[in-house]
Amino acid sequence: MEIQKLIYFHILKKTYRYLVNLSLKVIGLITIIRIMKKKIAYVGMSADILHKGHINILKTASRYGEVYVGLLTDQAIASYKNIPYLDYEKRKIILENIKYVKKVVPQLTLDYVENLNLIKPDYVVHGDDWKIGIQKETRKRVINTIKKWSGKLIEPKYTEKISSTLIKKEMSNLITSPENRISRLKRLMSSKDIVKILESHNPLTGLIIEKINVKKNKKTIEFDGMWSSSLTDSATRGLPDNSSLSFSARISSLNDMMDVTSKPVVFDADNGGQIEHLPFLIRSLERSGASAIIMEDKVGLKKNSLFKNQKDTKQDKPELFAKKIKKICDLRQSKDFMVIARIESFIIGKGLTDAIKRADIYSKAGADAILIHSKEKTPAEIFSFAKEFKKSKNFIPLVCVPSTYSKVKEDDLIKHGFKLVIYANQLLRAAYPAMQETARTILKNQRAFEADKKIIPINEIINLIKND
Ligand code: SPV
Ligand code: MG
């Protein structure tokens, strides 16, 4: 009996040792596999202006695994704020050369889920500032997604008092170079659903467009640039919109506006003048940093397109106008300087067929976009044009000026394929009656007191432009 017990004990001991050895080997094997399969730490960022906050996040992430940066594309950034200063490729090159970064992949939306499902990172690293504000929802979706493979969210403390937005604010006095400003419009048009520009007739209105923004659905909305309008430039100087204000005078005041702003400017060049004079105009515009020229296909004495009576207005022969377009394409120094051909067929009652025929010719001549103009009360005719032109193999982006059909919403324009909307005269139209009313009030009351209530206080006007 004793011997039997001893044998059992011996067998048990052997089995126990065998199992311990085996499990040690299995654990060892798992550890080796784990070590061999490097962990991945995912960081989503825009990385436009890199600062120590970014480096802190990347450094922290590198402690958890190989750092994959999901770099937000220009389109992704444009979905919730202004497009970045540097385009995607430039930002990618910078990040790829940071020692903490293993790989840079494009993140096509503000939302991480698509990339996370693809990469299945072990960690996502983000500053803890996204617990509140526009990114709150994005954060929730990250947590729910990585939960599926037991991924963890690491949230280092946000580096206070530093962010690209803050740096950009500080830099707003350091106006961008003409080259950067020229290419910005093209970048905006390829990044946003629709680019919105507003008429500016002097540096002060330029500053309003530069700075004004509203918050809607947690997004910051602002104008993308300025329209240098022949109508409001002329009216500001007490002149009719018939080209009596010379290009040199208009470019001189354009430069004043350029001196204090950074957003792209689209220049209204009437019909561009004589083809022989175009080299001088284009040179001046590019030197100023204008992003685009809009040229209308009219000849003879210029008359504003919104006048009812257009009986003396003549359209250029499409082949001759195409020559002007081609000439600008050959002349421009920057490939990003855009030539936008403006079709006046609807203005002079020529109809859809003529407009489409011209759009094809202008597009083939090298135009970057077509402005289809209308003075109707509804957008029906420009929408009919868009529908037809979309079928053409020469289709290029569309531009509109909703002055008479101002009820149209941007969403509707987007649906019909419009990429640029020009609010062509609203700031001057706002300022003029306000100034008239103030002048009348002073006359009526024989003092300025009554006008005070409706105008900006002295303290605000003297501090409007900072002297630092
Ligand atoms: C302008 O603003 O000068 C324009 C647009 O060219 S329109 O007044 O509609 O002709
Ligand atoms: Mg004009």
Side-chain angles (χ1 to χ4, degrees):
M1 206 49 198
E2 274 308 301
I3 291 173
Q4 221 173 9
K5 264 188 188 169
L6 271 174
I7 292 170
Y8 276 145
F9 180 70
H10 187 70
I11 292 171
L12 267 175
K13 210 165 105 186
K14 277 235 158 191
T15 317
Y16 175 75
R17 273 203 192 138
Y18 172 76
L19 285 175
V20 168
N21 260 341
L22 188 71
S23 53
L24 278 179
K25 275 182 192 151
V26 170
I27 290 169
L29 202 66
I30 290 172
T31 316
I32 288 167
I33 290 171
R34 278 217 179 122
I35 290 170
M36 276 170 59
K37 184 191 167 286
K38 293 206 179 114
K39 304 261 183 208
I40 295 177
Y42 185 90
V43 178
M45 53 172 58
S46 305
D48 188 15
I49 297 171
L50 274 188
H51 51 72
K52 66 174 185 184
H54 292 115
I55 301 297
N56 183 33
I57 294 286
L58 294 172
K59 193 172 174 180
T60 309
S62 72
R63 290 194 200 114
Y64 288 88
E66 291 188 325
V67 178
Y68 280 42
V69 173
L71 183 61
L72 270 73
T73 59
D74 286 6
Q75 287 87 336
I77 297 172
S79 74
Y80 74 105
K81 61 179 182 183
N82 209 345
I83 58 163
Y85 182 78
L86 299 176
D87 66 24
Y88 179 84
E89 284 308 320
K90 291 188 184 122
R91 292 180 284 123
K92 182 168 178 257
I93 289 170
I94 294 170
L95 280 173
E96 280 172 343
N97 285 287
I98 288 182
K99 67 175 179 182
Y100 303 118
V101 176
K102 176 76 183 170
K103 207 173 164 127
V104 179
V105 294
Q107 186 173 313
L108 304 179
T109 56
L110 187 58
D111 191 83
Y112 286 45
V113 173
E114 197 184 328
N115 273 7
L116 295 183
N117 279 328
L118 223 71
I119 296 166
K120 300 214 167 31
D122 304 277
Y123 301 97
V124 170
V125 184
H126 194 290
D128 66 353
D129 56 313
W130 70 341
K131 288 181 179 168
I132 47 166
I134 181 166
Q135 301 231 65
K136 204 166 131 188
E137 275 310 305
T138 314
R139 176 178 180 267
K140 264 193 213 153
R141 286 171 57 77
V142 166
I143 294 172
N144 287 337
T145 309
I146 59 177
K147 218 182 344 187
K148 288 188 263 170
W149 53 86
S150 310
K152 287 195 176 58
L153 177 60
I154 310 292
E155 295 176 305
K157 203 173 152 19
Y158 176 67
T159 314
E160 290 293 339
K161 295 197 186 102
I162 185 118
S163 79
S164 305
T165 311
L166 274 178
I167 297 176
K168 274 184 203 163
K169 237 185 205 163
E170 280 171 18
M171 285 187 4
S172 63
N173 284 336
L174 205 149
I175 301 305
T176 55
S177 66
E179 292 79 15
N180 188 287
R181 191 186 321 223
I182 289 174
S183 56
R184 248 181 126 68
L185 183 70
K186 211 174 216 178
R187 285 183 57 210
L188 281 161
M189 284 177 69
S190 58
S191 314
K192 299 189 81 164
D193 290 336
I194 197 158
V195 173
K196 0 175 175 227
I197 67 173
L198 178 60
E199 165 264 324
S200 170
H201 50 272
N202 62 27
L204 190 61
T205 48
L207 280 174
I208 291 176
I209 297 167
E210 187 82 11
K211 295 193 172 147
I212 207 100
N213 65 58
V214 293
K215 297 257 184 303
K216 205 171 170 199
N217 300 333
K218 294 191 187 153
K219 288 184 187 168
T220 306
I221 312 178
E222 52 184 87
F223 286 103
D224 298 299
M226 281 81 85
W227 166 239
S228 167
S229 150
S230 69
L231 169 66
T232 66
D233 262 8
S234 307
T236 313
R237 287 160 188 78
L239 291 172
D241 183 17
N242 65 359
S243 299
S244 36
L245 185 64
S246 70
F247 279 142
S248 72
R250 287 197 53 209
I251 283 168
S252 153
S253 56
L254 174 75
N255 281 330
D256 291 342
M257 187 168 75
M258 295 308 219
D259 278 348
V260 295
T261 59
S262 65
K263 289 188 175 176
V265 174
V266 177
F267 187 80
D268 170 10
D270 293 338
N271 68 3
Q274 304 283 359
I275 191 164
E276 293 81 2
H277 298 161
L278 279 175
F280 312 108
L281 177 63
I282 301 306
R283 193 171 65 194
S284 302
L285 287 176
E286 283 196 83
R287 196 173 46 218
S288 304
S291 301
I293 179 173
I294 295 195
M295 208 168 55
E296 59 198 52
D297 57 359
K298 287 197 297 213
V299 280
L301 179 66
K302 199 235 148 145
K303 187 176 188 181
N304 183 280
S305 304
L306 301 179
F307 278 116
K308 262 212 176 84
N309 179 0
Q310 295 283 341
K311 93 172 168 19
D312 297 324
T313 309
K314 286 196 179 53
Q315 232 174 341
D316 205 351
K317 290 205 177 76
E319 295 72 24
L320 292 183
F321 189 69
K323 278 195 179 148
K324 284 187 174 177
I325 296 170
K326 182 154 188 328
K327 176 119 188 168
I328 302 177
C329 294
D330 294 343
L331 282 168
R332 61 185 164 193
Q333 299 281 312
S334 162
K335 62 177 182 3
D336 293 336
F337 178 82
M338 296 177 75
V339 187
I340 303 178
R342 164 169 159 178
I343 296 176
E344 296 281 296
S345 305
F346 289 141
I347 298 292
I348 62 171
K350 274 213 195 143
L352 182 62
T353 316
D354 182 75
I356 293 289
K357 184 182 101 187
R358 285 170 178 272
D360 271 319
I361 295 173
Y362 301 164
S363 167
K364 276 198 255 174
D368 297 289
I370 295 286
L371 189 174
I372 181 69
H373 206 13
S374 166
K375 55 179 166 52
E376 290 299 302
K377 288 213 162 61
T378 76
E381 69 182 6
I382 65 153
F383 285 173
S384 70
F385 172 88
K387 209 169 142 205
E388 204 51 39
F389 189 40
K390 256 193 220 157
K391 297 178 197 157
S392 165
K393 63 178 188 315
N394 300 312
F395 180 81
I396 43 178
L398 295 177
V399 182
C400 65
V401 182
S403 297
T404 52
Y405 52 96
S406 58
K407 268 194 190 156
V408 71
K409 287 261 192 182
E410 287 165 4
D411 276 350
D412 220 7
L413 294 173
I414 295 168
K415 258 192 249 148
H416 285 86
F418 286 84
K419 264 281 163 190
L420 176 64
V421 54
I422 303 176
Y423 297 101
N425 44 47
Q426 286 73 11
L427 287 189
L428 185 63
R429 284 166 60 200
Y432 186 71
M435 291 194 276
Q436 273 188 318
E437 180 55 19
T438 303
R440 233 180 255 125
T441 306
I442 297 172
L443 277 183
K444 256 194 239 158
N445 295 285
Q446 296 179 296
R447 62 176 188 179
F449 176 74
E450 286 72 15
D452 277 348
K453 283 175 259 166
K454 294 182 191 153
I455 58 183
I456 181 172
I458 289 174
N459 190 31
E460 276 180 41
I461 195 77
I462 59 174
N463 284 305
L464 194 61
I465 313 291
K466 298 270 182 308
N467 187 23
D468 50 31

